[in-house]
Amino acid sequence: MTMRQAILFTLIALLPGIASARPAAEATHGADLYRAACAMCHGPTLEGNFQTPALTGRFVANWAGAPVAELESYVHRAMPLMAPGTLSPEDTRAIVAFLLQANGLAQGGTIRRVHPS
Amino acid sequence: MFAGGAALGAVAMMAGERTLLPHSATAGDALVPPHRPRLAPLHPRVDQITDLKVCIRPFRAAGPRLDVERIGDKTIFHNYGHGGSGWSLSWGSANLVVGNVAATLHRKVAVIGCGIVGLTSALTAQRAGFDVTIYTRDLLPHTRSVRANGSWTPDSRIALTQTAGPAFADQWEQMARFSWATYRTYLGLPGAPIMFEDNYILSDKPFDDRPAPPPPAGAPGTMPRATEDFATYESRIRDIVPAVEDIPDAENPFAAPHARRHSLMIYNFGAYGHLLLSEFHQAGGRIVIREFHTPHDLASLPEKAIINCPGYAAREWWRDDSLIPVRGQTAWLPPRPEAPYGLDYRGAALLSKTDGVMIQAVDLDGLGEMTGVGNSFEHPDPAEAARAIGVFADLFARMPMVGG
Ligand SMILES: Cc1cc2nc3c(=O)[nH]c(=O)nc-3n(C[C@H](O)[C@H](O)[C@H](O)COP(=O)(O)OP(=O)(O)OC[C@H]3O[C@@H](n4cnc5c(N)ncnc54)[C@H](O)[C@@H]3O)c2cc1C
């Protein structure tokens, strides 16, 4: 419980509510949020580890074809694992925008590559 | 008498072993006790850690979810939420669920998940004549299951007595007996997938055998409030599980004044997991690597009967808020096959297994079964590991030895 408080505190302390509407700024904000709330488990470069899934590679295959809203809903419901449901809807959108951008995926709509081959 | 003691020491020396001497024994009273355990000492150290594994126990106050649900033309047979007892109850739980599947007259079965519950469900379905495909995000070595302690703990945080009610107690007994009998068929095999080892329970104070105090007044509902809310059913299967015995002072080899011993069944994850996967493939089973996001994703599967074994992940994948996370962590040190025993002391546990010496902080802070409840911080805590290792390092540092 104290761990949870500590993490929430870190989140709040590091990231005063900078919600941005513009997609590029949103992804940048999302990257900051990712570093503070997610990187400790999923790794600074989304690489994951033996017990935590990477948010690149197979992650793309896992979600390809699903609505972006479904991924947002998952992240909001399930992550960060020790404090699910604590990200605001804006912060959730920003983090997902960052994950899509980092994986070369299109923003909005369905999860797919920016340049389908 | 002295000569006898010296001769024993010489034998131990010849065998090249360092043997622990009963803590009260001196040259003057070296009466050789009939069953003096000859144990090689373990000196666990933090700088020997090979792995820190963190896991979330999938706890449900009412006990595991084993009901049947229909979604479109699919019938879903749930098998998840086994708390700290998933390994122990796996075969019995699979037996109940596959019994329900068998009544549906389908021939093909899909199993979601390849943790210990999914894998044993798949094998049980094959043995009942089904054609089985496992759909899973991860194979066993990457699941939460292999981050467990891995011993016979069939009523470890399996339910809350009141919430689960007496019908579950009967069902638990059926599962536990069936599991135990199935595990016995895996004993004595090459590579020791399953084995028994002596486990020593040590204490600084005399053991307190008074009955547990009653739980707090009122009903706990879905959230445990105190250790006493958790169900304990083990007395129901006393007739098949080896009893715990007191070790007389003169036979106690440990630097702790009170000791007990029992034969504990343990699961060696490497050998056992490999064996189960091989059995599944040999029987024609298929595995499809796949992640599901919503129950509607199941519509795309060819099978109509589906056994759902996602463990804690059911919280997201099946939107089941009744799952309460209970965090736990194990530290792994290199294997010590010459020291095959287990220890419970000062809230820490140690098991010497074929794939390593496992050390777990079970309850270092006197919180009992509430330790880790509500905590889903699945991230290694090296300080916790150091404390647990310290319990045993300190114990062995205090112990006299002969023969070395
Ligand atoms: C520290 C600790 C010690 C323990 N010690 C013991 C012990 O000594 N004895 C004992 O009996 N029990 C013990 N347990 C409890 C035991 O580990 C669990 O009850 C058991 O592992 C649960 O197994 P499972 O197969 O249900 O879940 P998991 O092992 O979590 O497996 C779930 C499976 O489902 C798959 N999956 C999940 N979601 C999806 C999805 N959306 N799409 C596709 N696939 C999915 C996963 O990839 C995985 O294959 C311990 C637990 C902990 C944490």
Side-chain angles (χ1 to χ4, degrees):
Chain A
M1 285 300 108
T2 49
M3 188 64 81
R4 185 183 177 129
Q5 279 158 1
I7 280 146
L8 287 178
F9 179 77
T10 314
L11 258 178
I12 292 158
L14 290 180
L15 303 154
I18 356 158
S20 164
R22 268 161 300 166
E26 192 176 43
T28 309
H29 175 47
D32 290 340
L33 286 162
Y34 176 86
R35 265 192 297 280
C38 322
M40 76 175 82
C41 292
H42 290 284
T45 58
L46 314 179
E47 74 278 18
N49 58 43
F50 195 82
Q51 67 171 37
T52 315
L55 299 181
T56 57
R58 226 180 96 196
F59 164 75
V60 176
N62 286 341
W63 290 90
V68 170
E70 204 170 293
L71 176 57
E72 284 175 357
S73 151
Y74 175 84
V75 168
H76 182 67
R77 231 180 27 248
M79 296 292 143
L81 193 63
M82 64 289 182
T86 54
L87 289 173
S88 69
E90 298 75 44
D91 286 351
T92 306
R93 272 200 297 277
I95 292 188
V96 169
F98 161 67
L99 292 178
L100 296 175
Q101 188 194 58
N103 281 291
L105 300 169
Q107 302 284 338
T110 300
I111 297 180
R112 57 182 171 80
R113 299 232 167 259
V114 179
H115 305 293
S117 49
Chain B
M1 277 197 318
F2 180 72
L8 200 104
V11 169
M13 235 154 58
M14 271 165 13
E17 287 176 5
R18 291 154 63 86
T19 308
L20 303 174
L21 201 67
H23 80 289
S24 58
T26 62
D29 67 352
L31 239 186
V32 183
H35 302 295
R36 184 175 74 119
R38 296 170 71 229
L39 306 171
L42 287 157
H43 289 283
R45 295 199 320 256
V46 168
D47 68 2
Q48 297 300 300
I49 290 176
T50 59
D51 203 358
L52 273 190
K53 299 190 196 178
V54 197
C55 166
I56 300 174
R57 298 175 185 84
F59 175 76
R60 290 178 87 241
R65 180 158 186 209
L66 304 171
D67 63 328
V68 183
E69 199 177 340
R70 282 199 68 97
I71 303 231
D73 65 344
K74 310 289 185 194
T75 313
I76 322 295
F77 300 83
H78 294 296
N79 192 10
Y80 67 77
H82 297 76
S85 306
W87 282 86
S88 307
L89 294 179
S90 56
W91 291 107
S93 195
N95 180 53
L96 281 181
V97 171
V98 171
N100 293 337
V101 181
T104 63
L105 308 179
H106 291 296
R107 252 197 45 78
K108 288 180 185 288
V109 172
V111 173
I112 312 294
C114 194
I116 194 56
V117 174
L119 195 47
T120 52
S121 295
L123 283 160
T124 304
Q126 281 181 330
R127 292 171 190 180
F130 290 100
D131 184 0
V132 183
T133 303
I134 294 177
Y135 298 86
T136 185
R137 191 174 57 201
D138 306 294
L139 294 185
L140 187 68
H142 281 270
T143 64
R144 294 201 162 100
S145 288
V146 295
R147 305 185 213 144
N149 150 324
S151 56
W152 176 254
T153 61
D155 64 352
S156 165
R157 290 184 273 211
I158 186 62
L160 302 183
T161 316
Q162 275 197 58
T163 313
F168 177 68
D170 292 341
Q171 198 178 45
W172 176 89
E173 181 174 340
Q174 191 189 336
M175 291 192 283
R177 286 183 183 276
F178 193 92
S179 261
W180 179 263
T182 311
Y183 270 121
R184 287 197 69 286
T185 68
Y186 285 95
L187 287 167
L189 297 181
I194 304 299
M195 66 188 208
F196 278 93
E197 103 180 352
D198 281 346
N199 189 47
Y200 296 90
I201 304 163
L202 310 179
S203 177
D204 299 323
K205 293 181 297 189
F207 291 103
D208 181 2
D209 289 324
R210 284 171 303 176
T222 58
M223 204 51 196
R225 302 161 300 171
T227 295
E228 293 75 31
D229 279 336
F230 286 93
T232 54
Y233 304 125
E234 63 183 353
S235 62
R236 298 175 71 119
I237 53 168
R238 210 180 271 153
D239 56 319
I240 49 170
V241 177
V244 179
E245 62 193 14
D246 285 319
I247 300 181
D249 281 355
E251 295 176 29
N252 176 3
F254 297 101
H258 307 279
R260 285 177 164 174
R261 189 202 73 88
H262 65 128
S263 268
L264 177 66
M265 182 189 274
I266 67 168
Y267 322 127
N268 289 313
F269 297 145
Y272 183 54
H274 192 75
L275 179 58
L276 295 186
L277 272 170
S278 311
E279 283 186 16
F280 178 70
H281 285 302
Q282 271 163 22
R286 285 171 311 276
I287 297 183
V288 176
I289 300 299
R290 170 147 183 206
E291 181 175 286
F292 300 93
H293 300 132
T294 82
H296 302 291
D297 292 351
L298 294 180
S300 63
L301 300 187
E303 296 84 359
K304 292 203 163 35
I306 298 167
I307 306 179
N308 187 31
C309 315
Y312 181 70
R315 226 185 125 81
E316 311 319 326
W317 137 247
W318 213 265
R319 314 280 199 275
D320 187 345
D321 286 340
S322 69
L323 280 157
I324 310 283
V326 184
R327 183 187 180 279
Q329 173 175 294
T330 52
W332 293 77
L333 282 64
R336 291 286 307 277
E338 77 288 9
Y341 56 90
L343 297 168
D344 273 354
Y345 186 44
R346 293 185 180 171
L350 177 154
L351 284 178
S352 179
K353 310 181 89 177
T354 57
D355 45 2
V357 171
M358 185 285 318
I359 297 183
Q360 182 187 6
V362 179
D363 174 21
L364 294 176
D365 298 311
L367 301 173
E369 298 289 275
M370 294 304 285
T371 306
V373 170
N375 185 347
S376 55
F377 192 51
E378 206 172 27
H379 190 65
D381 178 352
E384 178 188 309
R387 283 177 73 198
I389 290 171
V391 168
F392 299 112
D394 175 62
L395 174 73
F396 284 101
R398 286 185 271 132
M399 286 171 49
M401 278 171 280
V402 293

